[in-house]
Amino acid sequence: EATLLNVTICDNCISNVTKMGIIATCTANAHLRNLSIENNRIQTHSGEYAKGRGIQVGDTASGYTLKNITVRGNFIDDTDSDTPFEWGIRVHTGDNVCIADNIVNGSGSGGIYVIERTASGPTVVVNNVISNITGDAFIGCRVDNRTSGCGSKLICGNVIRNCSYGVYTRCEVE
C-alpha cells in the first residue's frame, strides 16, 4: 500500500486543456490524505473529450481512500468552449470533504458533483457560486450517497443560477 500525504495544488492559471484542469487520484490499495486544491484559475476546455472536468478528485475505481479533501477558492470558467467541461468540480469517495468559496461558470452537466461510496466523515459544500450550466442534466450542485454509512452533508450558502436543478441530492445502491 502507498500513502500520499499533504498535497497542495494552489495559485495556478490553467487554460485550454483537452481533458482535466486538475486531477488528483489514487490507484487500488493507495491512499491520499490532506489534499488542498486552492485559488486556481481554470479556463476553457478544448477538443472533443466530453467528460472533461475543471477539477477532479478520485475516480470510479475501487480500493483506494481519500481523506481530508479541501477544494477552496477556485475559479472555473468554461463559457467560451464548444465542448464545455462535463463538471466544474467532481469529487469521489472522500472522508472529510470541504468544497467552499469556488466559482463555477459554464459547464455541461453540472457545477459541483460529490459522489460518496464509503466515506464516513462529513461533506461540506458551502458558499460557492455556480452559474450557466448548459448540458444534459443542468445541475448546479449534486451530492450522492451510494452506500450506507456515509457521513453527514451540509449544503449551505451557495448561489446557483441558470440551470435546471439547483441542488440535487440522491441516495442509490450501485
Side-chain angles (χ1 to χ4, degrees):
E1 291 191 10
T3 301
L4 184 58
L5 293 170
N6 305 321
V7 176
T8 301
I9 301 169
C10 65
D11 301 318
N12 297 289
C13 291
I14 301 167
S15 62
N16 298 314
V17 296
T18 58
K19 293 197 177 181
M20 311 280 181
I22 296 171
I23 183 169
T25 191
C26 298
T27 59
N29 300 316
H31 312 284
L32 179 56
R33 304 280 188 267
N34 308 327
L35 170 67
S36 178
I37 300 174
E38 298 190 39
N39 302 317
N40 297 286
R41 184 177 190 91
I42 302 168
Q43 291 182 277
T44 312
H45 177 253
S46 59
E48 299 300 317
Y49 185 68
K51 298 203 180 281
R53 288 158 194 142
I55 296 171
Q56 178 162 319
V57 178
D59 62 31
T60 57
S62 60
Y64 68 90
T65 60
L66 304 171
K67 188 170 186 175
N68 302 327
I69 308 300
T70 300
V71 180
R72 180 186 304 276
N74 298 285
F75 176 75
I76 300 166
D77 184 17
D78 201 21
T79 54
D80 293 332
S81 176
D82 290 335
T83 307
F85 288 121
E86 179 186 36
W87 290 93
I89 299 169
R90 186 167 170 160
V91 177
H92 292 262
T93 314
D95 273 347
N96 303 319
V97 173
C98 177
I99 301 172
D101 306 317
N102 299 286
I103 297 172
V104 177
N105 185 34
S107 68
S109 293
I112 296 172
Y113 188 12
V114 181
I115 304 168
E116 297 205 334
R117 289 183 173 83
T118 59
S120 60
T123 296
V124 177
V125 182
V126 297
N127 301 326
N128 299 284
V129 176
I130 302 163
S131 57
N132 301 315
I133 308 305
T134 60
D136 297 336
F138 315 124
I139 299 170
C141 177
R142 179 174 176 174
V143 178
D144 286 357
N145 282 349
R146 298 207 173 164
T147 62
S148 62
C150 290
S152 62
K153 310 292 174 267
L154 175 63
I155 303 167
C156 180
N158 300 289
V159 175
I160 302 170
R161 55 183 170 248
N162 298 330
C163 55
S164 292
Y165 301 94
V167 174
Y168 181 95
T169 183
R170 180 170 82 171
C171 182
E172 69 178 70
V173 177
E174 289 189 315

